[in-house]
Amino acid sequence: CNYFFDFVQKTSGASVRIDSVTGSSHLRIDGGDASRGGEAGSRRVGERIDVAMELISLQIELLRDHHIRKQRWGFGRDWALLLENDLRRNANGGDHHGGPAASSKGAGGEATDQDAAAAAGATAVAGKTAPVVATPDSLRLSDPRAVGAACLEVSDIVTGAGLSEKVAAHACIIFYRYVHLPSNANGVNNAAHGGGGSSSASVSVSVNTSFKLRDIQLASLFIANKSQKVVKWKRLEAVLEHAYRVFYPGSRFDPSSEEAKNWERRVVRAERMVLSALNYDVFWPGVDWVINAVVGTKAMAEPLAENAMSLALSGHVLAAGPVLWLKYGPKYAFAAVAGFLSIDIEPLFPALSLQPLSVSHAAELIYASCQSLSRVKKGLSLQTKHHELFGEGRGAIMGTNVRRVQKDCAAYMSKHPGRAVDDSEFVSSPAYKEISGRAKLRRVFRGIRGEAVEEKILPVLGKICFESKCTIRFSDGMLEGTNDISLEGSWKALSIAEQLLCEVASLTPSVSHDQSAATNAMLYSALAGMNSQRGDLRPPPREGNKIKQVKIQPGLLDMKRIDGKHGWYGTFDHSPPSPSERTAYDAGWKTCMAANAPQEHLDSAGLRWWVPHRYGPSLSGSLCEIFCSPKLMDGRTGRVDMRALALLARSFAGGRKRMRSLYPALASHLDGDPEGNIDGAEEEDDDRRSVSISLQRWPPEKIESKERSTEGRNAMRMGYSVAALQEMQLLHQLHFLIPSPQGHPNFILPLAIALDSDSNEDEKESAAAGGATSITSKSAAANDILAMIERNQRAAGKRQLASGSHLVLEPTPLNLQKVMSRYQRKNQGGTVIPPAVLASWCHDILSAISFCHSNHIVLRSLLPDQIHLDHSGTAKLSGLSKVMVLHGKDRIRDFDPLKFVRPKKERRDHSAEDVEPFAAPELLLGGTRYTKETDMWAFGALLANLLLGKQLFPGKDRVSKMTQVFKIVGVPGEDNYDRAKKFPFYSSNMYVIGEEGKKKKYNRGVEKALRHLLKAAFGGSV
């Protein structure tokens, strides 16, 4: 902190220190003696304080931005931070005041409370909140015992409905989030970033008292029930029937009664209100990551882990309160319950990055929950399946269990004195850590002259990061006047970024670095500049500085603010174009479309971290170390350039207008400065800076129309889309298993949700060819993936932005279907996909399939338009709305395809039915069971299509496709799966007429057939 405080004092003239009276959460700013110099002296003191406060505020936001980029990027916010901030306000009897300066430890990287304090300060300025009217139901929502009893009822309903206990846990977490939603949570981020316009999807919501506690309770359960795919979700009438049995034992539920219809209307309305109040942040990572971590590290056997987790998700533990489930999470509930079961929990501390004191507190919370629920009505407690730990009259044993856990925690602390544990560290199994390691490769350019960085690299830094998917950071070099450039990302991203940097700045190839601890330490020391020049205010390099999640907004956008017509045009080139120069980016065809969103809108939605840098970010996120043009500090005189500092604040704020509202004192240094001033047109363009994104319909239109058609007149309403909730929940869980900000590199990562827009008045426009030239086009080969992306970005034809809600993804310029259409084999010559590119894509697709299968997920469908390609050429799987999650018993047994067939209807011509291009033979013959084997068949057929430039098994109906399959694998016979003849759709017409007019029988010859096809495709020997 002292280094940053010295920087503030040198810049503003005001001294800053941690307040010794109130503690480390407050800073004291001294601008001098205001009594000297009269009114002018008082004004100068005020100006110093204003500049100091704005520097501190800017540092907090820079630090938040720096650390969010290292945390999980997926949709959602950190509820532990929001809950901790809410508890702190309640403990102090109100909100913290003091604005941006009320931050703990300023710019220190190891502070864990600074973001909560910043959020508290922002909350104080967020404005008025909706008044909360005290009603019986609102009082029940604030009563911990009533909330705990509601969670116990949820567990009973789930058990009666035959759903997994994970559904009950998910429902209780949604319920806790709503009950403890800060009254102005949505306004926190707007205040922190200066407002920036309100979105129709981001309205400050307090606890709505017009709904009863049971309405919110059932709405949370209905959302959780629809989000899971392990078992078939229960319709609303089934949920209400089982809820009726729990609420009113012995009574009969009549779905056709007026009471049931009224209940249906209330629950559907409550579901809509819960989704809106939580900004659709109703998804959770599940508990599989906990089991994978403890089993993968051999901290506990899998049967014991499954048993302990099942108990941790029981009603009494779920009712332990929001501190356990929102702040600590399931890993602490799991560890406490494991201690209750007399399981050795010492290996769990390093495996799950647990803090011993928090484990002890979790055990106390569970004990308090059991004590509180023991006094609820008998009718409720008798319906719950109790473990012997939670049975009546077991209070003394529970007390003994708590003391045992506390003793184990104390023993661990005595064995490892002084060990600091960061429980926000990514937790995963060793196998999944290897996957995350793919995106953590590092290279470095050393000793680059500052002039080359300032003149050649910084102007195109955002474009290089965009087109390579690589993280680039700067630091001072070993020699004065030089800089080191650190690249981090996958090997593809590093290769592209290195090529672009060498191209624009004429650099020599960088040095690859091993990721061992010793090498990383040496690299950090080198990048930090051990021999720094005089006047440098950088802190010495420190290792192990970690920070908790700092996302206080989930990322909810408004489709009205998103431009889907012009694609990615204007996201980097801000010069006013002529109509003939405009470029339309038609990414992904029907499944994914290019769009851009204003930086102002992303800021207000909590997505500031996704905006590309306009400056050179440092390794630590410190304002003192940022490299920008012009430089903040003159290396010779050691003086701070206020104009450079103001330009940096303007680029971070996203425009001059927003800078004036955020940093008025710094903005004054640009007024009247001929070099800093910009004319009205440029200022308007700067304020309208847009960021490129990709959009994917959520849910797909066909699935949405199918869902609407299934809502019959006699059935209760479905509520929000089941397919949309299931796809988002599944992506959330899969990405959380990987200890990396981007999650799994081969699945699309939802950054935000863009809600449906009512504005469909824009007319379709015609597009013209041409546009700005990308820096990748100078040396890209014809067969190179970068050239392919470049040609796609020049595609003509603007697209009308479709209505409906969308997932916001990182920019993906291509999908595999478009690539295959470009590389189709032609009669007179033609191109083939380069082998290196093909091998890379196959690796990516196999990695995604293997990850799904290891987590008991069957894809069911693998089509080329489901596979997107980002700018680094990495293949990413999408379209998970059709996948199937295997149930517990189905995960360990083999399936006989003949036991899962559908009967053949005589009046229907099944042979002419459209089938998927890569369907497995058992599915073509009438099988209905999708398995991991059918996924691998689809992958093999897709790979053959990429190799050959055409389908290996062409045909649009069952007969023609099976005929082509028999040509490769042979016709069914005694030595070649004779049981195929027993399938309902097997036909004796599945043959080919030979030259003599007779049926041609094919023997099994896969290798021979593939050699022949490849030889024909490549025009040579194979």
Side-chain angles (χ1 to χ4, degrees):
C1 294
N2 293 332
Y3 295 93
F4 174 69
F5 292 164
D6 292 343
F7 175 83
V8 174
Q9 184 172 11
K10 177 177 287 190
T11 305
S12 65
S15 62
V16 182
R17 66 179 186 274
I18 298 176
D19 188 41
S20 59
V21 178
T22 58
S24 61
S25 61
H26 289 75
L27 300 179
R28 184 174 295 277
I29 303 176
D30 185 2
D33 189 356
S35 62
R36 296 182 180 180
E39 183 178 350
S42 177
R43 185 168 56 253
R44 286 193 298 270
V45 171
E47 291 174 354
R48 294 170 192 160
I49 294 176
D50 291 341
V51 172
M53 291 183 65
E54 290 183 11
L55 288 177
I56 295 172
S57 176
L58 179 61
Q59 175 61 85
I60 291 175
E61 294 306 317
L62 285 170
L63 192 63
R64 185 192 304 277
D65 177 84
H66 173 78
H67 284 288
I68 284 182
R69 294 175 192 263
K70 293 183 177 182
Q71 297 294 331
R72 299 192 184 275
W73 290 4
F75 176 80
R77 56 188 145 191
D78 177 26
W79 284 94
L81 176 63
L82 290 176
L83 181 66
E84 184 177 353
N85 183 36
D86 186 54
L87 294 176
R88 184 183 293 111
R89 288 199 306 269
N90 294 336
N92 294 339
D95 292 347
H96 289 289
H97 295 275
S103 62
S104 68
K105 297 192 183 268
E110 60 185 354
T112 58
D113 294 334
Q114 59 192 13
D115 295 291
T123 302
V125 252
K128 297 181 180 180
T129 61
V132 179
V133 182
T135 64
D137 282 289
S138 66
L139 294 177
R140 289 190 67 201
L141 285 172
S142 62
D143 181 11
R145 185 180 300 181
V147 172
C151 291
L152 190 60
E153 289 176 338
V154 167
S155 179
D156 289 338
I157 297 171
V158 167
T159 302
L163 297 172
S164 170
E165 62 269 10
K166 298 176 185 178
V167 176
H170 189 186
C172 291
I173 287 177
I174 297 174
F175 186 59
Y176 282 136
R177 288 179 182 179
Y178 176 80
V179 170
H180 293 272
L181 180 70
S183 59
N184 54 352
N186 295 310
V188 170
N189 199 67
N190 290 339
H193 296 281
S198 61
S199 167
S200 62
S202 299
V203 181
S204 186
V205 180
S206 63
V207 174
N208 193 319
T209 58
S210 63
F211 292 94
K212 296 181 178 180
L213 181 141
R214 283 182 174 173
D215 296 339
I216 307 300
Q217 177 185 6
L218 292 177
S220 302
L221 175 56
F222 195 43
I223 294 173
N225 158 55
K226 292 191 295 183
S227 300
Q228 55 86 31
K229 292 180 72 75
V230 178
V231 297
K232 184 174 178 58
W233 67 281
K234 305 294 183 181
R235 297 196 66 91
L236 183 55
E237 49 264 38
V239 174
L240 295 182
E241 179 181 358
H242 292 286
Y244 206 82
R245 296 175 183 175
V246 173
F247 297 155
Y248 312 107
S251 302
R252 180 178 175 273
F253 177 74
D254 184 7
S256 60
S257 64
E258 188 62 31
E259 179 189 14
K261 294 179 181 179
N262 185 40
W263 210 356
E264 173 198 1
R265 288 190 294 268
R266 292 205 318 267
V267 172
V268 172
R269 282 175 43 235
E271 179 197 49
R272 191 182 309 116
M273 190 271 303
V274 168
L275 290 172
S276 176
L278 296 179
N279 282 356
Y280 287 74
D281 188 12
V282 295
F283 309 101
W284 78 310
V287 296
D288 291 341
W289 61 277
V290 178
I291 298 177
N292 287 337
V294 298
V295 174
T297 56
K298 299 182 180 180
M300 188 182 297
E302 186 171 3
L304 284 178
E306 293 282 357
N307 184 36
M309 183 57 73
S310 177
L311 185 57
L313 300 182
S314 61
H316 284 76
V317 183
L318 293 177
V323 173
L324 177 62
W325 290 103
L326 297 186
K327 181 180 179 180
Y328 292 152
K331 66 178 183 180
Y332 280 98
F334 171 81
V337 170
F340 291 166
L341 297 175
S342 301
I343 299 175
D344 183 15
I345 63 174
E346 182 176 350
L348 298 181
F349 291 107
L352 297 176
S353 298
L354 300 174
Q355 292 182 352
L357 292 179
S358 297
V359 175
S360 176
H361 187 209
E364 294 175 0
L365 291 174
I366 297 174
Y367 174 69
S369 171
C370 294
Q371 292 292 100
S372 175
L373 292 178
S374 64
R375 294 185 287 272
V376 300
K377 58 183 181 180
K378 292 289 184 179
L380 173 63
S381 60
L382 290 178
Q383 295 178 52
T384 308
K385 291 186 177 181
H386 291 292
H387 188 275
E388 58 179 5
L389 289 175
F390 305 135
E392 296 185 7
R394 309 287 292 186
I397 297 180
M398 278 294 296
T400 304
N401 293 333
V402 172
R403 288 190 292 272
R404 182 191 304 119
V405 173
Q406 293 175 338
K407 183 179 179 181
D408 293 341
C409 294
Y412 182 82
M413 294 175 64
S414 63
K415 287 183 180 180
H416 307 86
R419 173 179 292 185
V421 179
D422 178 26
D423 61 353
S424 64
E425 185 180 0
F426 293 144
V427 174
S428 183
S429 65
Y432 293 158
K433 289 182 180 179
E434 294 180 4
I435 297 177
S436 66
R438 301 177 195 167
K440 296 180 181 179
L441 303 178
R442 184 177 296 178
R443 292 179 185 173
V444 60
F445 288 92
R446 296 188 183 181
I448 309 303
R449 295 190 59 82
E451 293 79 5
V453 176
E454 183 176 349
E455 297 174 3
K456 298 182 179 180
I457 296 178
L458 282 184
V460 293
L461 177 63
K463 186 175 291 188
I464 292 176
C465 295
F466 175 77
E467 297 193 2
S468 66
K469 311 302 297 179
C470 184
T471 301
I472 303 178
R473 296 187 178 93
F474 296 80
S475 64
D476 291 333
M478 299 289 290
L479 301 178
E480 184 176 353
T482 64
N483 295 93
D484 294 339
I485 306 176
S486 174
L487 312 180
E488 184 175 329
S490 66
W491 67 270
K492 302 175 190 177
L494 292 180
S495 300
I496 297 173
E498 182 178 6
Q499 178 185 355
L500 298 181
L501 286 173
C502 293
E503 198 171 296
V504 299
S506 303
L507 305 180
T508 57
S510 61
V511 181
S512 177
H513 288 266
D514 185 19
Q515 294 302 298
S516 64
T519 307
N520 278 337
M522 295 173 60
L523 174 63
Y524 189 89
S525 299
L527 292 178
M530 299 291 288
N531 301 324
S532 57
Q533 63 267 30
R534 189 176 179 180
D536 187 9
L537 298 176
R538 292 175 293 98
R542 285 192 267 177
E543 298 180 7
N545 291 344
K546 305 205 175 164
I547 196 167
K548 292 184 178 180
Q549 283 273 27
V550 291
K551 292 177 65 176
I552 55 178
Q553 283 290 90
L556 193 66
L557 301 179
D558 186 358
M559 288 293 294
K560 294 179 182 178
R561 306 289 304 279
I562 296 176
D563 180 10
K565 290 183 176 180
H566 305 99
W568 297 328
Y569 168 75
T571 54
F572 293 108
D573 184 6
H574 299 281
S575 59
S578 62
S580 61
E581 293 176 339
R582 296 194 175 186
T583 304
Y585 293 80
D586 185 17
W589 283 9
K590 298 179 181 180
T591 58
C592 188
M593 61 185 302
N596 64 83
Q599 176 180 339
E600 174 188 2
H601 188 39
L602 296 181
D603 287 354
S604 63
L607 295 173
R608 171 62 186 82
W609 54 272
W610 180 246
V611 178
H613 291 302
R614 285 188 174 183
Y615 53 86
S618 63
L619 291 174
S620 65
S622 173
L623 178 61
C624 313
E625 301 178 6
I626 284 180
F627 190 97
C628 62
S629 178
K631 294 183 178 180
L632 294 180
M633 185 177 298
D634 190 335
R636 298 179 180 178
T637 63
R639 297 181 58 184
V640 177
D641 187 344
M642 294 302 298
R643 174 180 166 271
L645 191 60
L647 290 173
L648 171 64
R650 189 183 71 187
S651 67
F652 184 79
R656 191 163 184 177
K657 290 182 179 179
R658 298 192 68 241
M659 179 193 176
R660 286 170 178 166
S661 63
L662 286 172
Y663 312 108
L666 293 177
S668 64
H669 290 277
L670 295 180
D671 297 335
D673 185 354
E675 299 183 26
N677 253 332
I678 51 179
D679 58 36
E682 291 180 353
E683 181 173 345
E684 185 176 357
D685 288 340
D686 196 36
D687 286 321
R688 291 181 178 179
R689 183 189 182 193
S690 297
V691 180
S692 56
I693 56 176
S694 289
L695 297 177
Q696 178 177 289
R697 191 66 159 75
W698 186 64
E701 295 182 19
K702 291 184 178 179
I703 295 179
E704 185 178 26
S705 60
K706 183 179 179 181
E707 287 181 340
R708 291 177 178 175
S709 64
T710 56
E711 288 190 331
R713 296 182 178 178
N714 298 326
M716 291 187 176
R717 283 179 287 176
M718 181 185 296
Y720 199 78
S721 170
V722 177
L725 294 174
Q726 289 180 348
E727 181 178 16
M728 192 67 171
Q729 173 63 28
L730 194 59
L731 284 171
H732 198 77
Q733 289 184 223
L734 289 177
H735 282 299
F736 201 87
L737 289 170
I738 305 299
S740 170
Q742 302 93 332
H744 198 288
N746 303 124
F747 288 90
I748 59 169
L749 177 64
L751 305 174
I753 293 176
L755 290 186
D756 190 7
S757 172
D758 297 329
S759 177
N760 293 323
E761 302 173 357
D762 297 334
E763 297 179 357
K764 296 183 179 180
E765 300 177 11
S766 60
T773 302
S774 170
I775 58 178
T776 60
S777 60
K778 296 181 180 179
S779 62
N783 288 336
D784 191 73
I785 180 61
L786 296 179
M788 204 183 328
I789 294 175
E790 197 69 27
R791 290 195 302 270
N792 183 51
Q793 293 175 348
R794 299 292 185 266
K798 296 179 182 178
R799 300 185 58 183
Q800 175 72 20
L801 183 62
S803 61
S805 301
H806 290 73
L807 294 181
V808 179
L809 316 173
E810 58 183 332
T812 50
L814 291 173
N815 72 6
L816 206 55
Q817 180 64 48
K818 177 160 286 190
V819 175
M820 292 168 62
S821 67
R822 292 181 181 274
Y823 283 96
Q824 292 295 328
R825 184 172 64 91
K826 301 179 180 179
N827 294 331
Q828 298 179 352
T831 58
V832 295
I833 299 177
V837 175
L838 180 62
S840 172
W841 290 344
C842 290
H843 172 271
D844 293 339
I845 299 171
L846 268 178
S847 175
I849 296 175
S850 174
F851 187 68
C852 285
H853 289 179
S854 65
N855 288 281
H856 317 294
I857 297 172
V858 177
L859 294 176
R860 296 181 63 190
S861 176
L862 186 63
L863 300 177
D865 59 2
Q866 293 178 239
I867 301 170
H868 301 295
L869 306 171
D870 67 10
H871 279 85
S872 69
T874 301
K876 296 178 178 290
L877 193 63
S878 69
L880 300 186
S881 56
K882 295 182 180 180
V883 303
M884 178 179 66
V885 181
L886 297 178
H887 194 266
K889 296 180 180 179
D890 295 341
R891 298 174 180 178
I892 56 176
R893 65 177 180 179
D894 297 327
F895 294 97
D896 183 0
L898 276 175
K899 293 184 178 180
F900 300 92
V901 296
R902 59 173 176 173
K904 187 175 181 180
K905 298 181 180 179
E906 297 180 358
R907 297 182 179 180
R908 187 174 178 181
D909 184 11
H910 296 277
S911 62
E913 289 179 343
D914 290 336
V915 293
E916 291 190 357
F918 306 133
E922 57 265 36
L923 301 177
L924 294 173
L925 292 173
T928 60
R929 184 73 188 192
Y930 290 86
T931 61
K932 298 176 181 179
E933 290 75 13
T934 61
D935 285 349
M936 295 310 300
W937 176 278
F939 170 73
L942 175 63
L943 174 58
N945 196 340
L946 289 171
L947 283 171
L948 304 175
K950 64 177 184 179
Q951 288 191 27
L952 182 61
F953 309 117
K956 295 184 178 181
D957 54 67
R958 297 178 184 274
V959 174
S960 60
K961 274 196 169 295
M962 283 308 305
T963 300
Q964 299 300 322
V965 171
F966 290 160
K967 289 174 65 176
I968 301 297
V969 302
V971 296
E974 295 181 358
D975 58 344
N976 190 22
Y977 195 64
D978 194 44
R979 298 183 67 195
K981 298 178 181 179
K982 298 181 181 180
F983 280 86
F985 290 95
Y986 175 81
S987 173
S988 59
N989 295 326
M990 296 176 178
Y991 58 84
V992 177
I993 302 297
E995 297 178 356
E996 300 179 357
K998 298 181 179 180
K999 294 182 180 179
K1000 193 171 182 179
K1001 182 178 180 180
Y1002 286 93
N1003 296 321
R1004 186 185 181 104
V1006 177
E1007 182 178 355
K1008 181 180 178 181
L1010 287 178
R1011 285 184 176 274
H1012 175 75
L1013 290 170
L1014 290 173
K1015 183 177 180 180
F1018 290 97
S1021 59
V1022 179

